[in-house]
């Protein structure tokens, strides 16, 4: 069984540009979660999808961040425009009714 | 790359007893070790974390220990209660880069 995959694994962009991160959950998993770890700080929850619906987006930092999950399959997280403080590791997890499986994350560097 | 092994995969303890979950990591450069708890039907949540410059950290009934020489870290839950029943994940992160998760431990608290 394929695990949760994320790409790109690493992205370097300039301040003001747009970046789109992608998460492919395990097939059949309705729940998809996005987290991020900003440099040197703890991991923070961003949002939770149940299928294509946003169940909880209380962790989204501001309106520069847009998450979508069209069709309830893969999800994208767009940052537009990116700021320096957005640098960090963004990772996702998916689950069905039981435990979650985590992706290895995308390292975003904004310069 | 980094690899995180977590044991046991399932653990049952009597209410009031202690539970210990152990993880090992392969990359000695790992410097951040969070633990997540996922209750049934809910998203994984950070419960405690430790950095490589600290050997032990405690928060009420939960404690985490880190042995950098042996490259292993453990989660200790004392005086277990029914609400401690969940899946617990350990993770290791290298210098704010990718975060690698263990496969989880399903903890059952027996009445």
């Amino acid at each position: 069984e394929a695990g949760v995959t994320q790409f790109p694994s690493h992205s370097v962009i300039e301040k003001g540009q747009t970046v789109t991160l992608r998460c492919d959950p395990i097939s059949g998993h309705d729940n998809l979660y996005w987290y991020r770890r900003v440099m040197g700080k703890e991991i923070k929850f961003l949002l939770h999808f149940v299928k294509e619906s946003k169940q909880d987006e209380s962790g989204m930092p501001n309106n520069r961040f847009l998450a979508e999950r069209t069709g309830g399959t893969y999800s994208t997280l767009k940052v537009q425009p990116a700021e320096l403080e957005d640098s960090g590791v963004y990772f996702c997890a998916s689950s069905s009714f039981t435990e979650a499986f985590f992706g290895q994350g995308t390292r975003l560097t904004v310069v | 790359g980094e690899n995180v092994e977590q044991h046991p995969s399932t653990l049952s303890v009597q209410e009031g007893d202690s539970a210990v979950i152990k993880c090992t990591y392969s990359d000695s450069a790992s410097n951040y070790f969070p633990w997540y708890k996922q209750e049934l039907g809910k998203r994984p949540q950070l419960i405690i974390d430790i950095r490589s410059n600290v050997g032990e950290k405690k928060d009420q009934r939960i404690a985490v220990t880190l042995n950098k020489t042996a490259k292993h870290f453990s989660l200790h839950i004392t005086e277990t209660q029914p609400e401690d029943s969940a899946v617990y994940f350990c993770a290791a992160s290298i210098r704010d880069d990718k975060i690698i998760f263990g496969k989880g431990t399903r903890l059952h608290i027996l009445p």
Side-chain angles (χ1 to χ4, degrees):
Chain A
E1 178 181 275
V4 177
T5 54
Q6 292 185 246
F7 48 93
S9 59
H10 193 181
S11 179
V12 181
I13 62 171
E14 293 184 350
K15 176 183 173 180
Q17 289 187 321
T18 297
V19 63
T20 300
L21 314 179
R22 173 167 167 155
C23 170
D24 283 52
I26 291 174
S27 178
H29 280 190
D30 288 342
N31 296 289
L32 188 151
Y33 314 89
W34 280 99
Y35 296 81
R36 77 168 179 175
R37 184 184 181 210
V38 173
M39 190 74 68
K41 298 186 178 180
E42 70 175 41
I43 300 167
K44 294 280 191 182
F45 165 77
L46 295 178
L47 88 160
H48 170 205
F49 282 101
V50 177
K51 297 185 180 179
E52 67 274 13
S53 299
K54 294 175 184 175
Q55 180 78 8
D56 179 358
E57 52 184 330
S58 60
M60 294 289 266
N62 52 62
N63 59 10
R64 296 186 294 104
F65 289 76
L66 174 65
E68 295 181 321
R69 191 182 182 195
T70 306
T73 56
Y74 69 90
S75 175
T76 58
L77 180 65
K78 181 191 289 187
V79 186
Q80 178 183 30
E83 298 290 344
L84 298 178
E85 62 265 25
D86 299 332
S87 295
V89 179
Y90 292 75
F91 62 101
C92 69
S94 74
S95 70
S96 54
F97 297 107
T98 57
E99 63 264 32
F101 293 80
F102 291 84
Q104 293 199 357
T106 294
R107 178 161 174 71
L108 174 65
T109 303
V110 183
V111 297
Chain B
E2 176 66 285
N3 183 46
V4 174
E5 298 283 341
Q6 183 171 347
H7 300 280
S9 57
T10 304
L11 177 62
S12 296
V13 300
Q14 210 69 38
E15 182 178 347
D17 289 349
S18 295
V20 181
I21 301 170
K22 299 180 180 181
C23 288
T24 60
Y25 59 99
S26 59
D27 195 323
S28 57
S30 293
N31 63 351
Y32 175 65
F33 307 91
W35 284 87
Y36 277 74
K37 174 184 180 182
Q38 186 185 18
E39 297 176 72
L40 188 64
K42 297 186 179 180
R43 62 176 168 87
Q45 291 187 291
L46 179 70
I47 55 172
I48 194 167
D49 55 12
I50 191 169
R51 298 182 185 277
S52 58
N53 59 347
V54 176
E56 183 175 359
K57 185 176 179 180
K58 190 173 182 180
D59 182 3
Q60 299 182 331
R61 296 186 297 107
I62 295 174
V64 57
T65 59
L66 171 64
N67 183 327
K68 289 189 292 183
T69 302
K71 289 188 285 187
H72 69 69
F73 56 112
S74 301
L75 178 72
H76 305 252
I77 306 174
T78 58
E79 301 172 21
T80 54
Q81 299 171 5
E83 55 264 35
D84 295 330
S85 292
V87 179
Y88 292 81
F89 296 91
C90 64
S93 173
I94 305 171
R95 298 184 300 274
D96 293 317
D97 207 315
K98 293 189 189 301
I99 302 167
I100 307 299
F101 285 81
K103 294 190 184 303
T105 295
R106 184 176 296 280
L107 176 63
H108 300 276
I109 305 302
L110 306 173

